[in-house]
Amino acid sequence: MNPLRITHRETPAGPLLRLSGDLDFDQAPELRRQVDQLDLRPGQCLVVDVSGLEFCDSSGITAFLTARQRALEARADVALSAVPANLLRVLTLVGLDRVFTLLPAGGDPARPTGQDTR
């Protein structure tokens, strides 16, 4: 098991969370806690860079959905950036590739690529 590491920085578009390690049942509460502490404002976009994720289970997917709900409540948007192929496959199977804005690595939230990331 690789512990989840989350780094946070502010960008002109909004907060950026970079995840690495495993996002599983034991680690998902930490992501939810950090998202809850963000100062999201209307019109911003929370970008979650998942390029460093080595594993993501259903608890991790639920944490992404919780982050999306938090963003929507703040009248902000959320995007997943640099989604690894294995996670993209899961998101696609359950239809979440249509729910989340998907960005390439280092992507600009103003220019989502959507399904072009496959």
Side-chain angles (χ1 to χ4, degrees), residues 40-108:
L40 277 171
R41 293 184 293 278
Q44 286 188 318
C45 183
L46 164 61
V47 175
V48 182
D49 179 334
V50 294
S51 60
L53 278 186
E54 297 174 29
F55 176 79
C56 181
D57 69 6
S58 61
S59 298
I61 301 291
T62 301
F64 293 146
L65 289 168
T66 301
R68 179 179 181 271
Q69 185 60 39
R70 167 79 168 81
L72 293 175
E73 289 169 358
R75 296 184 313 173
D77 197 5
V78 65
L80 300 178
S81 173
V83 180
N86 59 340
L87 179 55
L88 181 58
R89 187 172 55 251
V90 171
L91 293 175
T92 301
L93 283 171
V94 296
L96 292 177
D97 61 328
R98 295 187 178 110
V99 171
F100 287 99
T101 300
L102 302 177
L103 303 173
D108 180 348

